[in-house]
Amino acid sequence: MSHPRTVAIIQGRMTASRLPGKVLLDIAGQPMLARVFTRARRARTLDLVAVATTVDPSDDPVEAWCREHETPVFRGDMFDVLDRFYQAARNFEADVIVRITADCPVIDPVLTDQTVRLITGNWSLNTEHFDFACNRLPPPWTRTYPIGLDVEVCTFAALERAWKEATEKHQREHVMPYLYEGVTFSGKALPLKTEHCSLNTSFSSHGFKIAQLNHDPDYGAMRWTVDTPEDLELMRRVFAHFGRDDFTWQDVLALQQRQPEMFTVNAGVVHKTAFDVDERRK
């Protein structure tokens, strides 16, 4: 196979616990889902960008928006998001799956491409080195890119194995923990040709080979995602400031460095860990 079919799946639903309906809330004239979709599909490594929402009637508006805007959409289980992703990946015939969440309206296509290529870079030689790649891992692991630029990538084979073997609630709800659990990056990070970037590699406790993209300096404490009303207010300020949607993550970084007071609105929001689960799940 000379080129793997690479599909980004944006997960989102209307019943978010901290900000219900957030995926369709307005950011500078467009729903957040539109912002994520538009920016995600600019990534050059992607063959398709699709949305995966739930079969719950509350997500009928999500499907309706997708249909109206000719956006591929799949509906699956509300809480078993791993199953939703797996079924969506099969439906869209993906060889490589890119996980993006619908609450990341400043997702960066260049950073997405850098992460995807960790999986697909040697595909034509049948020597794909990694089962899973990311530009961050959730707490208790570490990150060096701002929260809200999160990209996770895996092969279909790895996703299928996780779908078959994962049994814990957090493994099913957060899609990919089964792939990276138990990983420790004890060796020195490998420098990359891209400026300020390095790579950590290791094996997870389930035997998957993992790659994590890092940035120096460390900007992992910055928060550019939307879980709360305060987060939403910040993203509205950011988009209003630029007046367009093709700004880069470095543009947002420069804005925060120039106008730090703009970014204090959501400073008290606590980021969830990989082990938090929705208590509404039965």
Side-chain angles (χ1 to χ4, degrees):
M1 181 182 297
S2 59
H3 173 73
R5 179 169 167 82
T6 303
V7 177
I9 300 175
I10 302 170
Q11 72 177 72
R13 65 181 191 184
M14 294 292 284
T15 55
S17 58
R18 291 195 279 183
L19 187 60
K22 68 179 181 179
V23 297
L24 294 182
L25 292 178
D26 181 84
I27 298 179
Q30 293 190 30
M32 181 161 62
L33 180 59
R35 295 299 187 188
V36 178
F37 179 78
T38 298
R39 291 176 63 85
R41 69 178 178 177
R42 291 193 180 115
R44 296 179 179 181
T45 54
L46 304 180
D47 296 295
L48 181 73
V49 179
V51 173
T53 192
T54 87
V55 294
D56 191 83
S58 63
D59 286 315
D60 289 351
V62 176
E63 181 180 16
W65 182 90
C66 291
R67 300 296 183 195
E68 181 181 352
H69 294 87
E70 299 181 342
T71 300
V73 60
F74 179 87
R75 299 184 73 168
D77 195 277
M78 177 176 284
F79 297 112
D80 188 348
V81 194
L82 174 54
D83 181 71
R84 194 195 317 168
F85 259 73
Y86 173 71
Q87 301 300 342
R90 288 187 60 188
N91 182 71
F92 296 122
E93 300 180 322
D95 300 308
V96 172
I97 298 92
V98 183
R99 178 178 176 247
I100 296 172
T101 56
D103 52 10
C104 293
V106 296
I107 193 78
D108 189 276
V110 173
L111 185 53
T112 299
D113 284 337
Q114 290 173 343
T115 310
V116 170
R117 288 189 180 112
L118 295 175
I119 294 283
T120 64
N122 293 298
W123 194 279
S124 61
L125 302 176
N126 292 318
T127 57
E128 61 272 25
H129 291 298
F130 301 108
D131 302 298
F132 171 89
C134 63
N135 59 12
R136 72 88 179 89
L137 287 174
W141 291 275
T142 59
R143 63 180 306 131
T144 55
Y145 285 93
I147 301 166
L149 301 179
D150 307 6
V151 180
E152 294 179 353
V153 188
C154 71
T155 64
F156 181 81
L159 184 70
E160 185 168 56
R161 188 181 149 202
W163 175 75
K164 290 178 178 178
E165 297 178 5
T167 57
E168 300 294 328
K169 286 184 178 180
H170 71 277
Q171 294 169 340
R172 309 298 301 192
E173 184 172 326
H174 299 297
V175 185
M176 297 189 181
Y178 188 81
L179 302 182
Y180 57 76
E181 282 179 343
V183 69
T184 57
F185 299 112
S186 55
K188 185 177 180 180
L190 304 172
L192 298 176
K193 292 181 180 179
T194 305
E195 189 176 9
H196 302 298
C197 289
S198 63
L199 191 68
N200 280 118
T201 65
S202 189
F203 286 90
S204 73
S205 58
H206 298 291
F208 297 104
K209 191 167 186 182
I210 309 300
Q212 180 172 334
L213 191 66
N214 299 304
H215 189 276
D216 184 20
D218 182 346
Y219 298 123
M222 294 180 174
R223 182 177 176 83
W224 304 344
T225 191
V226 179
D227 284 324
T228 70
E230 294 82 4
D231 294 329
L232 181 64
E233 173 59 26
L234 174 59
M235 288 296 101
R236 285 172 169 170
R237 293 178 184 181
V238 168
F239 275 83
H241 170 85
F242 289 110
R244 64 185 204 279
D245 69 357
D246 61 349
F247 53 85
T248 69
W249 80 267
Q250 290 93 341
D251 291 331
V252 183
L253 174 64
L255 176 61
Q256 182 161 354
Q257 292 172 335
R258 289 195 311 269
Q259 301 184 37
E261 67 282 355
M262 178 189 293
F263 290 77
T264 60
V265 63
N266 66 343
V269 178
V270 177
H271 195 55
K272 290 183 177 181
T273 77
F275 302 101
D276 291 329
V277 295
D278 195 319
E279 297 303 325
R280 295 170 294 181
R281 177 175 182 169
K282 296 180 180 178

